[in-house]
Amino acid sequence: VEIYNPATNSWSTGVPLPQALSSFGTAVPFNNYGTGSGTIYVVGGYNNSNICVNSLYSFNPSTSTSWAQLSSTPTALCNLGAAADDAGHVFAVGGSDNSGNFSGAVEVYNSTNDTWGSVAPLPKPSTSLGVTWRGGILYAIDGIISGSYPTCQLPPPAAKGLFAPCGPLQEFNTNGFTAPTTLYVFTKN
């Protein structure tokens, strides 16, 4: 884990994850004012043997000295998106399994009781997508849907967990995050 400090424009080494992982989802809960618990969640990903894992780890840089292993996700996935709301839920969205099948699952971790559940799936299975939570809406942004360019998928405000198209994006492997008032989307050129 590498940590960048913008105040000093310097990098430092952080506490390593319990296992080497790649292509995992990350989430940090925050509220509409840009503040939150500071806890970092790492969901799924490939291990050193290129096998998708169903792990969930958490770390709070202000209070932790090691990563905590939490309840395993129901499904082992890689290339998934993740986001957290301000009520202690972590969303693991889409991804691919060990056979390369794309997932449309939206699994939800409840940090209050260390359990997993699910909400309505994505309209189309997707991998390598950006996911973020903003204003009570879970946004699933871009990604790959069976080799095609997808659209942004998000739920209507009154139907948490139900997704509908919200406009085309023109890149694979997009990531996104929110600041207090803006959704930022990063694509490759």
Side-chain angles (χ1 to χ4, degrees), residues 40-104:
I40 302 165
Y41 292 91
V42 173
V43 185
Y46 289 110
N47 65 15
N48 273 343
S49 300
N50 283 332
I51 295 173
C52 296
V53 297
N54 63 342
S55 58
L56 174 65
Y57 297 106
S58 70
F59 183 82
N60 186 316
S62 299
T63 61
S64 301
T65 57
S66 64
W67 288 83
Q69 185 163 2
L70 305 172
S71 289
S72 297
T73 60
T75 310
L77 293 170
C78 304
N79 303 307
L80 67 154
D85 67 13
D86 54 354
H89 300 100
V90 176
F91 298 86
V93 181
S96 56
D97 64 18
N98 283 309
S99 298
N101 299 310
F102 290 5
S103 172

Side-chain angles (χ1 to χ4, degrees), residues 112-127:
T112 304
N113 58 16
D114 193 33
T115 59
W116 284 90
S118 61
V119 294
L122 294 168
K124 296 181 179 180
S126 185
T127 187

Side-chain angles (χ1 to χ4, degrees), residues 170-174 186-189:
Q170 298 300 315
E171 280 297 336
F172 291 123
N173 299 321
T174 297
F186 297 89
T187 64
K188 68 177 182 172
N189 288 329

